[in-house]
Amino acid sequence: MPDKKKGQDRINLLADVAEMYYIDGQNQEQIAKKVGVTRSMISRMLTEAKELGLITIHINRPLNINHSLSELIRTKYNLQQALIIDHENSKLLHTLGEAAADLLINLLKPNSILGTSWGTAISATADAMAPQKTFPGIKIVQLLGALGARIQEYDGHGIIRKIEEKLGGEAIYLNAPYLVENHKVAQSLFEVHSIRETIELGRKAEIALLGVGSTALENSPYYLAGYISKEEMLSIQEDQAVGDVCGHFFDIEGKDRAKEFQSRLIGIKLQDLMRIPVRVGVAGGPEKVSPILGALRGGYITILVSDASTMQAVIELDQTSNQE
């Protein structure tokens, strides 16, 4: 027991030193005099506090919003809002996640219903959430069944749980696989009370947080997570699908594709997804150019968070595809 108390006293002292240095703004010499140790000892204590996880550092790098391109995209594709970032470093997903998280915090209100899918962009958004307040009564609803992947970014339950921890409120899980063997199995699962209840709540969402997926084998979450075969993914491509939003595939014109595949999905129906008033799409990178264009043409999203390089490529593809 004495050793345990001694260890706790040490941790408390390290926390006090860290607070004086990082919160109160005192220098190491001032802290050393108060604690009764040398200045070099304070330096070592701060290092120890970091190693123990008592100190975490978050850099709020200002987002460089390209206002002219944002307005161009908003008007060209009839969006409620476009947030296009001039991005220069290598951490594109992290930057897009920060931008989407800030935007969501401004959109949400107490008692809001937020529906969300899963994927790398959604995971990055959840990671970046650092609200100054919680939202009493908020519900976070899973709109698409679980992928069952060990890859964290594709774990729908984990992402929902993370958002719940950041925002407060209540997480509503869709406890079903996202894809089943056939249409009949899908229909029977929709009759399960807990699944039906979650889907019905998802229909009432005021805001949906959505990624924009690609059908390319090297980028498809469904294929990379080992959930569907290469042959099935190629058949989806053969049906001219270039991307998906919340499991609903579309071609470059935004037209609904891979309908047999979608009949096996456990999640919100396309018509119900499209009725959600605010649908925030988060995507960027060369592999997302065609999917973003298809999503914009099809009206799958009402707010877009992306980067300038990607969106300039989207505009170029839009122009060339219209000329063909």
Side-chain angles (χ1 to χ4, degrees):
M1 185 66 72
D3 288 342
K4 185 176 181 181
K5 184 179 184 304
K6 186 177 179 181
Q8 187 60 51
D9 289 343
R10 175 67 175 177
I11 289 173
N12 289 338
L13 176 58
L14 293 174
D16 289 341
V17 168
E19 185 173 330
M20 284 187 278
Y21 185 74
Y22 287 102
I23 305 299
D24 299 337
Q26 299 180 43
N27 61 40
Q28 292 184 18
E29 190 169 340
Q30 290 172 318
I31 299 170
K33 288 179 181 178
K34 287 186 177 182
V35 177
V37 298
T38 64
R39 183 182 179 283
S40 60
M41 178 62 73
I42 295 298
S43 178
R44 288 196 291 272
M45 290 172 76
L46 289 170
T47 299
E48 185 181 351
K50 286 181 183 178
E51 291 172 350
L52 290 173
L54 300 176
I55 299 169
T56 58
I57 298 174
H58 179 77
I59 307 298
N60 288 314
R61 188 187 299 275
L63 295 170
N64 298 318
I65 301 171
N66 189 319
H67 293 284
S68 60
L69 186 55
S70 296
E71 181 60 16
L72 173 63
I73 296 298
R74 186 191 70 79
T75 55
K76 182 177 180 63
Y77 297 104
N78 194 29
L79 298 172
Q80 296 168 358
Q81 186 178 346
L83 191 59
I84 311 303
I85 310 300
D86 280 324
H87 176 76
E88 296 179 357
N89 62 55
S90 59
K91 297 180 179 179
L92 176 59
L93 265 179
H94 177 76
T95 301
L96 295 180
E98 286 188 329
D102 288 347
L103 183 145
L104 269 179
I105 297 306
N106 289 323
L107 290 174
L108 290 169
K109 299 175 182 177
N111 301 310
S112 290
I113 300 176
L114 170 65
T116 182
S117 181
W118 39 254
T120 55
I122 307 300
S123 181
T125 303
D127 287 338
M129 286 181 178
Q132 300 301 310
K133 60 179 181 179
T134 56
F135 297 87
I138 191 173
K139 290 182 171 63
I140 305 101
V141 186
Q142 188 175 339
L143 297 178
L144 185 62
L147 196 60
R150 285 177 285 181
I151 305 172
Q152 185 178 358
E153 290 83 354
Y154 304 151
D155 178 11
H157 283 48
I159 291 172
I160 293 283
R161 191 179 306 115
K162 192 183 302 180
I163 296 174
E164 177 192 27
E165 291 170 355
K166 298 288 185 73
L167 300 181
E170 180 185 5
I172 313 295
Y173 300 97
L174 186 52
N175 291 312
Y178 107 95
L179 186 69
V180 294
E181 291 81 5
N182 55 58
H183 176 67
K184 288 184 178 180
V185 175
Q187 288 303 109
S188 65
L189 282 176
F190 279 119
E191 296 303 316
V192 175
H193 177 72
S194 61
I195 294 173
R196 186 174 69 248
E197 195 173 52
T198 301
I199 296 293
E200 288 175 355
L201 186 60
R203 292 191 189 111
K204 299 176 183 177
E206 296 98 350
I207 303 170
L209 175 61
L210 307 164
V212 181
S214 168
T215 59
L217 289 176
E218 62 271 22
N219 303 119
S220 168
Y222 313 113
Y223 174 69
L224 292 175
Y227 214 85
I228 65 175
S229 67
K230 180 178 180 180
E231 290 72 25
E232 189 159 27
M233 200 69 238
L234 290 175
S235 73
I236 291 171
Q237 291 178 11
E238 287 171 4
D239 198 28
Q240 300 181 327
V242 297
D244 81 284
V245 169
C246 204
H248 297 289
F249 286 93
F250 48 81
D251 62 19
I252 195 71
E253 299 298 331
K255 295 176 182 176
D256 196 17
R257 294 290 181 180
K259 292 183 181 180
E260 188 280 329
F261 178 88
Q262 293 181 61
S263 73
R264 297 155 52 202
L265 289 180
I266 307 300
I268 191 168
K269 298 296 185 183
L270 179 57
Q271 62 268 29
D272 294 321
L273 176 67
M274 300 294 268
R275 290 191 188 108
I276 296 176
V278 179
R279 303 184 298 278
V280 181
V282 188
E287 72 280 3
K288 296 298 179 74
V289 172
S290 294
I292 289 173
L293 179 56
L296 290 171
R297 285 175 167 174
Y300 286 81
I301 55 180
T302 65
I303 296 178
L304 175 65
V305 179
S306 190
D307 66 288
S309 295
T310 298
M311 293 315 299
Q312 286 163 354
V314 167
I315 291 171
E316 290 174 9
L317 178 60
D318 195 353
Q319 293 171 341
T320 55
S321 63
N322 278 331
Q323 293 169 2
E324 292 175 358

